[in-house]
Amino acid sequence: MKLKLHWQILIALILSIPMGMFLPKLSIQTAGIGDVFLSALKMLIIPLVLTSIISGISNINSKELGRVGLKTILYYVSTTTFAILVGLILVNIFKPGVGVKLANAGDTSKLAEAAGSFGDTLKNIVPPNIFEAFVNADMLSIIFFAILFGVFLSQIEEKHKTAVLKVNNGIFEVMIKMVNFVLKFSPIGILSLVATEIAEQKDITSLAAGLGTYFLVVLGGLLIHSFVIIPLILKLVGKSNFQKHFQAMVTPLLTAFSTSSSGATLPLTMEAVEHKAGVSNRITSFTLPLGATVNMDGTALYECVAAMFIAQVYGIELSVIQQVVVVITALLASIGAAAIPMAGLVMITVVLSAIGLPLEAVGLIIAVDRPLDMVRTAVNVWSDSTGAIVIAKSEGEELNY
Ligand code: ASP
């Protein structure tokens, strides 16, 4: 009997802990396996997103597109705001930063440059050169181009439209097959990725140095958001079954956790939401690539808690207005964060500068960033997938649960 893939992944994940701890050399020597797995996933993203959006959008008329687009944005902004509020409440109750010493801050010299401004993010949506956007994997630009292409494809002469769609949909189907093929290697890829990560962790003592409570507050917030808020939305708005949806999403969630990249996980998220949940390509093609890029509930919650934590460490009491600024900038930072590992850590500089805190303070939280990144990435993917369900249901689609 063959073990189901998500069990294989779970076993790999469990094995990766002793492997990373007791065989650190071997783990680091075999890190290439994880890298190849990650590259294989990334290799699929652009052609998958492009063909999927074009096929989905060309099936939708412009009125419907406006409606679905509006619902999608509403879902993204409201769930992300809920997540931030959960973080804000917890950080105000537990005050993890009070009494923490300002020692051992890590190096943060490159973070501020990498963050860029929110205005730049918006401006860059329209790429001056689409090939450059492909090369740099600028997802927002690629999504923008694909949506426009799909919209105008449906307006050209029938014979040309059919010809382009035939090729496009053919490539899309090949991409899905390739995703399924790469998926087969996920247990070994994940084993390697996580074992290497554990083998390279030097600084476990940092948890004792006052970061423990901060770590638990972020983690607790992420869990509350995932297992209370999102299920409520799924039930009340999506009229859907939480348990079944969770089961359907196990593979992408474990992959998100292991890779810390919602972008790299996107092919698997699309596969699961379309084939396990039964959401149409018309909805997934639009909501999921966009969601992976801009909808980051986990990241937003983390931005808020981290900024508040830093303020507490510096002994600064933030006024209500300043806390509102934290909420707004955490939302913007999560939208601007790329769907790659550590993007959230880079974007925290946006929140800190908005409330006038020193950027070097990010050094305080670097030590525990990676494990939090793993969890917040899974939460990001979890919210994206729920969004697709909620929107599909609101459009009257019959799903598998
Ligand atoms: N790694 C996260 C993601 O890909 C972003 C972050 O660093 O918060 O969703």
Side-chain angles (χ1 to χ4, degrees):
M1 204 183 73
K2 210 169 161 264
L3 211 54
K4 282 232 173 77
L5 186 70
H6 56 258
W7 288 115
Q8 292 180 29
I9 296 179
L10 203 62
I11 292 170
L13 208 52
I14 294 169
L15 287 179
S16 65
I17 300 171
M19 178 164 163
M21 282 166 69
F22 303 118
L23 301 168
K25 269 218 181 96
L26 180 75
S27 304
I28 292 171
Q29 274 163 359
T30 51
I33 300 175
D35 293 341
V36 172
F37 170 67
L38 212 54
S39 300
L41 281 176
K42 289 186 187 157
M43 162 184 93
L44 302 175
I45 300 174
I46 294 174
L48 179 72
V49 165
L50 192 68
T51 52
S52 168
I53 294 185
I54 292 173
S55 113
I57 298 285
S58 57
N59 278 327
I60 208 171
N61 64 41
S62 51
K63 219 168 91 204
E64 280 177 334
L65 183 65
R67 194 180 61 222
V68 173
L70 211 65
K71 284 184 197 171
T72 308
I73 290 166
L74 193 70
Y75 172 90
Y76 289 167
V77 173
S78 49
T79 52
T80 307
T81 310
F82 285 143
I84 299 174
L85 294 178
V86 169
L88 189 66
I89 293 171
L90 291 182
V91 81
N92 274 310
I93 296 177
F94 292 103
K95 302 200 185 316
V98 174
V100 173
K101 299 261 168 338
L102 266 174
N104 313 327
D107 179 24
T108 54
S109 47
K110 303 228 170 52
L111 288 179
E113 269 166 65
S117 75
F118 189 68
D120 285 342
T121 310
L122 284 184
K123 210 176 79 195
N124 293 340
I125 291 180
V126 184
N129 178 341
I130 188 61
F131 293 101
E132 203 178 305
F134 288 144
V135 170
N136 298 332
D138 293 333
M139 290 318 290
L140 276 184
S141 309
I142 297 172
I143 292 169
F144 173 77
F145 178 81
I147 292 177
L148 270 193
F149 192 96
V151 167
F152 289 104
L153 181 61
S154 49
Q155 298 180 9
I156 61 173
E157 216 182 303
E158 197 58 39
K159 68 173 191 224
H160 296 314
K161 175 183 161 180
T162 322
V164 175
L165 266 185
K166 240 186 181 161
V167 174
N168 180 75
N169 296 356
I171 299 177
F172 177 48
E173 276 175 37
V174 176
M175 295 317 300
I176 300 269
K177 288 239 184 283
M178 287 172 73
V179 170
N180 280 316
F181 174 69
V182 173
L183 203 55
K184 294 205 170 85
F185 298 93
S186 51
I188 176 93
I190 283 172
L191 176 72
S192 161
L193 281 172
V194 181
T196 315
E197 196 53 53
I198 292 175
E200 283 173 348
Q201 280 290 334
K202 298 152 212 106
D203 203 9
I204 298 178
T205 47
S206 58
L207 276 182
L211 284 179
T213 321
Y214 158 74
F215 183 85
L216 291 178
V217 167
V218 179
L219 193 65
L222 292 173
L223 293 178
I224 292 175
H225 186 66
S226 304
F227 293 108
V228 180
I229 310 281
I230 292 196
L232 273 177
I233 296 174
L234 194 64
K235 191 167 165 53
L236 299 179
V237 192
K239 309 260 178 297
S240 192
N241 185 312
F242 159 76
Q243 225 175 345
K244 291 204 170 127
H245 181 51
F246 191 74
Q247 272 164 6
M249 290 302 297
V250 168
T251 300
L253 289 178
L254 291 177
T255 310
F257 179 80
S258 315
T259 58
S260 292
S261 167
S262 23
T265 312
L266 179 61
L268 310 190
T269 317
M270 292 180 78
E271 207 274 337
V273 174
E274 233 174 283
H275 296 110
K276 293 209 170 126
V279 176
S280 72
N281 174 253
R282 176 177 157 266
I283 301 291
T284 55
S285 69
F286 178 71
T287 57
L288 292 177
L290 196 65
T293 322
V294 304
N295 181 44
M296 298 197 181
D297 295 10
T299 302
L301 184 149
Y302 156 86
E303 301 288 333
C304 170
V305 176
M308 296 290 296
F309 168 75
I310 288 170
Q312 291 170 352
V313 174
Y314 278 79
I316 298 168
E317 274 283 339
L318 295 181
S319 65
V320 175
I321 306 264
Q322 279 173 311
Q323 298 203 18
V324 173
V325 173
V326 170
V327 171
I328 297 171
T329 46
L331 175 69
L332 296 181
S334 74
I335 294 174
I340 55 172
M342 281 180 75
L345 185 74
V346 172
M347 294 306 284
I348 190 93
T349 53
V350 174
V351 187
L352 293 183
S353 33
I355 46 174
L357 286 171
L359 301 187
E360 317 82 76
V362 184
L364 276 172
I365 52 172
I366 284 184
V368 290
D369 184 64
R370 185 61 187 213
L372 291 178
D373 194 3
M374 297 167 87
V375 185
R376 68 184 187 245
T377 307
V379 177
N380 293 345
V381 169
W382 179 227
S383 170
D384 296 340
S385 72
T386 308
I389 302 280
V390 168
I391 291 156
K393 283 274 174 112
S394 78
E395 287 287 298
E397 288 192 5
E398 285 280 335
L399 308 187
N400 297 340
Y401 45 80

